[in-house]
Every structure is written in structure tokens, then in C-alpha cells.
Amino acid sequence: MESRHIFSYSEARQEFNYSPITSTLSRIRVRFAPSPTGYLHVGGLRTALYNYLFARKQNGTFILRIEDTDRSRYVEHAEENLIEALKWAGLVWDEGPDCGGPKAPYRQSERLALYREHALKLVDQGNAYYAFDTADELEEMRKEQEQMRLPVKYDRRALKLSAAEVDAKLAAGVPHVIRMKVPDLTTVTFDDIVRGKVEFASEQIDDQVLLKSDGFPTYHLANVVDDHLMEVSHVIRGEEWLSSTPKHVLLYQYFGWELPQFAHLPLLLNPDKSKLSKRQGDVAVEDYRAKGYLPEALVNFVALLGWNPGDERELFSLHELVNEFSIERVGKSGAVFNLEKLNWMNAEHLRKKSDAEILRLLKNELKQSEFKDATFSDEYLVKVIGAMRERVSFVKDFVEKSPYFFRRPKQFDPDVVKKRWKPESSGYLKSLTQEFSSLTNPNKEEYEAALHRTAQSLNVGNGQLIHPLRLAVSGTGSGPGLYDILFIIGKEETIKRIELAIEKIK
Ligand code: GLU
């Protein structure tokens, strides 16, 4: 295809809307294309999720492509971390660097020859050109433009070189880049599923470097070449890439390729409406994981950052999201990251789990806690889960809110002691241990009846026993049902704890 003459550099402003009829991209193929910069940002998780949901809903293909062509940003293990975080979230891709696929390789650093070939094709067509400027020269140019309050962009000085001069420099091995030639006086427009018709004036578009002097492509070239070669039908990505899209649209046109459909997802915002940043909280998926958030909760939460089902529902499993999601319902306005909502969702997702599921998580949690060397039977832990499941938001809460199920109280909450422990409490509790001793294998009701009998014989209200007893067995003044605690820890332990409390609380 001869593209050289498409843009006549006339004074008349051109409207450029490149939208060839969709034909070959009728199959749904989407990709998540992270640059491995160290961790998976929650915004990245949302992009990955929307791509995943979009693909699954329509029996399409979800691709993971690693965009690792920026050597200056190379971080060791970043790709592994990324893959680990995505897998933790439950997102499964069909093609990718770890599982291969028909369009392999899926790591851009393994596709360098392809990018070079395509950059050279553009040079041949006249849609890109060699530039030999040094970093210092470019810096000086930038400063001058700033001083003159001109827009900072490449001034095309390299286009003044004759063909012979270019050849001589290339032959002499002078370091160079390849830049795309952006047409003058043209409005580039494209349709975005989220934002509708989007326009950029070509004056705003820099003659973007496509191939760097180290032989690596820039994001723009590699992204377009790969999206085309991998037959990506829909480019679903964050809004921060919107201003790059006109460059991409031009590249598609230069190559004579069909455009994918674009969907730019709204920004994620802090509660004060500033762009979501590390300074105001965690942004890495692995931070949330480390803090004990359930993957189901984080996925549910990010799903609603920019999308809604059209009604009041807020709780969704990944499977339900696949059924409900539609890219048409993604909104334009920024989505506020509300941590309280995430915490609420975590509690809801936790409560929905079966005892067996929570048991698995709790055992894991215990292994990482101060109780890692203690052993508790599954039967015991399931009882603890039953007593606490409505009172926890995180799995770690089982341990943090009710450590007394895993060890004797280390101390007794001084405020509760002050309020609830009377001079006569020790005596009352002693009578209670005698009553408890006579029971065999008591259930909750039997503990309760024994306490009532003791209160009656002491001629005091039940509360005179209940409050010091709770303090004695748990060290605190609140928690699940008192008789549940007694039943779970058992009679011997209950009596032992009462005796220790009498000794320690003076
Ligand atoms: N590598 C880009 C990123 O890190 C991909 C943007 C895109 O999806 O085109 O987000």
C-alpha cells in the first residue's frame, strides 16, 4: 500500500478518520499488556479483569503479553510477580509467555526483529525517518522551545538531511532513532467504546520515536505491531493511554491494517479525587494480598471501579461478573477507590464461604501467626469459625480478635477489670468452678444452667458472674457468646483459666 501521498501537506485542514470495515477481526481477541515494572497496580488488575470478563463473556481469547522493551525500567522478577498476582486473582489467560499460543512469543523482548522490520518498512514508505540527534541536542531544542513558549516536540531537523547524508551517517554507524512522520494540519479522530468520538489535532502529536538507538522499539511501535499480528480485536486499557492512541491510529493507517476497537477505562481516583497514588494508600495488588484481602473481594471491588450492573447489586463472584459484565456499561468519569467499601466486601465474601473453605484459610493464617507451633484439630477450629464468622472481616481477625481460642489470656483488659471485677468476684468465681467441676461434658445450655444455679445460691444477679467469667476466660469484655467460648475451650480449660484469673487479678 502506498501511503506516502495520503497526506498532502496543503494548508487545508484535513479530517482523518481511519475506520476500515471490520472484517478479519470478527473473532474476539483481547490482551492485557503490562510492562513489568515490579508489581501489579490495582488499576492494572482492573484492566486485566475487564479484558478477561469481556473475553469470557463472548467466548473470546484472553492474551497476556509482556511489554518489556524499556530496558531502563527493567526490574528483576517483575514478570513472575505479575503472573503470580494475576493468578492469585483467579484470572486465567489463554495465550501468554508461560503457556505459549499460536502467536508466540508473547514477550516483546523476544520479538525485536519484527519491530525493526516494521520500522524499516515505514521508512521505505516515507512515513518514518532516521534521526541522528544526540541527547544534548534534543535537550537544547527542548529548552529553546520552552523559552519561546512553543509546544515541546521534535522540530524535524532530521528531515533536512539529504538522502546521501542519511546514507553516509548510517554507513558510518552514527547512533540513530527512527521517528514516525505525523501529518500536518490533520485532525485524527477515532471511536472509543467508552468515550465516543475522540479527536486530536496533529499539531499536538509529536514525531514519536518508534525505534530507539539501542534497537529496541518504543511502546507505540511494539504495541501496534503486536496488536495487529496477534489479531487483537479490542484494545481495552487505561485512560492514560488515550493520548497515545492517535499515534497508533496513524501507524495502523501507514501499515494499511485494520483498526481494533478501542475502549479507554476511566482513571482511578483517591477519595479526594486526585489520581490514585501510592502516597494515599496501597496501589499494589500484592499489598492487598499481604494485608489479608481475599482475591474474590479485591476482584469484585475493582470490577465496580468504572462499571456497574445497572442496578443496586454490588456483590459478585468472578463467575457472576462474567455473566453480567458489558463494556458498554463502563463509564467515562473517574472511579473513586473507597477502602471502606473494599473492607465491607471482604467481610461479605468471607462470610459467604463454607466452614471448610474458611478452615483452609485459617490454618494458613495460623501457620504465619504466633501460634504456628501449636496444633488445633479441624473440629476445634470449625467451632471457632462458627463462633466468630459473623464477627470478622478478615481471616486474620479470627486470630487477632479472639486469640483466647488459641492461648490463655496473657493479660486482662484493665478497663474491663476496673468496671467488672469486684472484690467479691474471686469468691463468686470459686463457687462457679465447683459447680462446673460437677458437670460431665457440658454443652452450652448446661454451662448456662450451672451459672444460674450458682448465682441463685449466692443470691446475686447472673451478671455478677457473667462479666468476671468472660474476663477470666478471654481477657476482654466482649466477643461471641460466653457459653460458646466455654463450650469451645472445654471444661478443664475453663476452670484453669478462672483459677489463673483469680490469681492474677488482684
Ligand atoms: N504496556 C502498557 C502498560 O504497561 C500497555 C498499554 C496498552 O494496553 O496498550 O500499561
Side-chain angles (χ1 to χ4, degrees), residues 405-445:
F405 284 123
F406 310 103
R407 60 152 167 72
R408 291 176 180 157
K410 279 190 187 156
Q411 65 243 333
F412 300 90
D413 182 336
D415 292 338
V416 185
V417 172
K418 208 164 136 199
K419 195 161 160 217
R420 301 295 194 186
W421 193 272
K422 303 273 143 53
E424 49 293 357
S425 297
S426 309
Y428 293 167
L429 288 187
K430 268 186 197 139
S431 313
L432 191 60
T433 52
Q434 277 157 24
E435 192 68 35
F436 282 172
S437 311
S438 65
L439 305 172
T440 26
N441 268 339
N443 61 22
K444 283 188 329 195
E445 290 71 27

Side-chain angles (χ1 to χ4, degrees), residues 31 33-35 67 219 223 235 237 241:
R31 82 308 190 268
S35 301
E67 301 207 324
Y219 153 73
N223 190 268
V235 169
R237 63 184 169 202
W241 303 104

Side-chain angles (χ1 to χ4, degrees), residues 18 20 118 121 224-225 228-229 251-253 255-259:
Y18 180 65
H118 282 89
K121 197 181 274 178
V224 166
V225 167
H228 172 70
L229 294 180
L251 289 173
Y252 279 98
Q253 192 272 334
F255 286 121
W257 292 338
E258 194 175 327
L259 272 187

